[in-house]
Amino acid sequence: MSENVVPLPGIYRHDQPGYFTLADLPQRPSIEEHAWGTGWWELDQIFKFYDGQFVIVTGIAGHGKSTFLLNIFCNIARLHRIKSFLYVPENEGHLQAKLRRIWDNDETFGRFSSDYCYVQSAVQEFDNRPRTLQWVLDRAIVAIERDGVRVVLIDPWNELDRARPRDMTMTDYIGQCLMMLKDFCRTFQVAVVVVAHPTKAVNEHGGRIPGLADIEGSMNWFNKADNGLIVHRDAEKNTCQVISAKVREHGAGKRGSAFFFVDPETGIYTPQVGGVLP
């Protein structure tokens, strides 16, 4: 992983790291008590954040996954003063304008953009070497330790696909990367959100809402996620359905759907009142 990995706290037995009596074994606090909401009551019924969480978000290309998440990051900054780290190569060129429209308050946007939202650019200088997951996480560590970031976003995953070694299958590569991400979440106690596209066949032919098992590359996506969300938008009606397809931990939500209106001009998501299905 990284030289900056934080050792598990506690009293080690026989000086062996990670070896405890049951009485000394560090325990995490109740997720139900420490989870934080998204700023929307309707979504909170099916999904909440917590420290150490690994979240997968998928959906057909162009259905608003990125915009949906940017709305949430604005919400949690406003309500909980939670800081976010974004690695968003496809959106960084117009990220300020996009977030300014979603934030919808020029007087306070300056503080949000300088104190609550941190971005790792993929464009530093010309370098033909692919960015690796390790490269992104090492930079996220700086944001966590020095700026107090609690949520990390990688959007989209396919920007890191080309770092796969030639002698490794895509399934093995994704499995290895997801284990690294899970370890990162637990070690640094941050929520990590990864946006991953479904397979090309689902993207091109549509006809149905994709599931977590449809993500390009491997069933590992479904297996490793603590929470899995699917974003599906009806562009004609300017509405969006957000499906909670997987919830591992009690207190972090439940399976179901929340429904939103989407302003096509600003990208602002507004929950439909009572728009929740079990």
Side-chain angles (χ1 to χ4, degrees):
M1 172 60 68
S2 167
E3 295 178 356
N4 295 310
V5 167
V6 178
L8 191 66
I11 302 169
Y12 299 144
R13 187 168 177 80
H14 307 314
D15 295 322
Q16 177 174 309
Y19 180 46
F20 304 93
T21 65
L22 177 60
D24 292 328
L25 181 66
Q27 300 290 283
R28 70 183 181 194
S30 165
I31 288 175
E32 192 168 21
E33 294 177 6
H34 293 273
W36 67 85
T38 63
W40 294 314
W41 179 89
E42 289 79 4
L43 186 61
D44 290 348
Q45 306 313 300
I46 59 172
F47 172 79
K48 286 186 176 181
F49 284 110
Y50 61 88
D51 296 326
Q53 177 188 31
F54 180 43
V55 183
I56 302 297
V57 178
T58 193
I60 295 171
H63 276 230
K65 300 181 291 296
S66 301
T67 305
F68 166 72
L69 289 169
L70 294 179
N71 273 261
I72 290 181
F73 296 150
C74 287
N75 288 351
I76 62 177
R78 275 195 180 103
L79 294 175
H80 310 300
R81 297 185 177 180
I82 289 174
K83 301 177 180 181
S84 303
F85 170 92
L86 313 182
Y87 180 69
V88 289
E90 292 183 352
N91 284 311
E92 68 173 85
H94 52 87
L95 189 61
Q96 283 189 11
K98 190 168 187 175
L99 277 166
R100 184 184 293 274
R101 289 192 295 270
I102 293 170
W103 186 263
D104 198 29
N105 187 326
D106 283 343
E107 292 183 6
T108 58
F109 180 74
R111 186 177 180 194
F112 165 74
S113 63
S114 60
D115 294 346
Y116 291 96
C117 188
Y118 301 88
V119 183
Q120 174 59 53
S121 174
V123 186
Q124 296 175 303
E125 58 186 22
F126 178 75
D127 186 345
N128 198 37
R129 292 172 298 177
R131 302 298 186 209
T132 66
L133 176 61
Q134 184 69 69
W135 183 90
V136 176
L137 295 183
D138 283 343
R139 282 146 184 80
I141 289 170
V142 175
I144 293 164
E145 294 182 340
R146 299 185 182 180
D147 291 316
V149 159
R150 291 179 65 187
V151 181
V152 172
L153 171 66
I154 299 174
D155 176 15
W157 170 259
N158 66 344
E159 287 286 330
L160 301 177
D161 269 353
R162 63 192 186 102
R164 174 174 61 94
R166 293 183 179 179
D167 60 349
M168 183 180 289
T169 67
M170 181 62 79
T171 297
D172 288 345
Y173 172 69
I174 290 175
Q176 184 181 86
C177 288
L178 296 186
M179 284 303 301
M180 183 186 295
L181 283 164
K182 292 278 286 186
D183 288 345
F184 184 88
C185 295
R186 289 192 293 257
T187 300
F188 291 97
Q189 284 299 291
V190 294
V192 174
V193 182
V194 175
V195 176
H197 297 311
T199 62
K200 187 175 181 181
V202 174
N203 265 324
E204 289 183 348
H205 301 298
R208 66 179 178 86
I209 298 175
L212 298 180
D214 292 313
I215 297 175
E216 185 81 47
S218 174
M219 266 294 290
N220 280 319
W221 292 105
F222 178 86
N223 295 332
K224 300 300 183 187
D226 293 318
N227 289 74
L229 299 176
I230 301 162
V231 177
H232 193 74
R233 184 171 173 179
D234 186 330
E236 293 183 359
K237 297 180 179 179
N238 291 323
T239 59
C240 181
Q241 178 183 6
V242 177
I243 303 165
S244 172
K246 181 180 180 181
V247 181
R248 188 187 301 277
E249 301 288 355
H250 179 73
K254 63 183 180 182
R255 292 179 57 128
S257 295
F259 297 87
F260 295 84
F261 296 109
V262 184
D263 185 328
E265 300 300 322
T266 64
I268 294 175
Y269 278 58
T270 303
Q272 298 181 24
V273 177
V276 183
L277 288 177

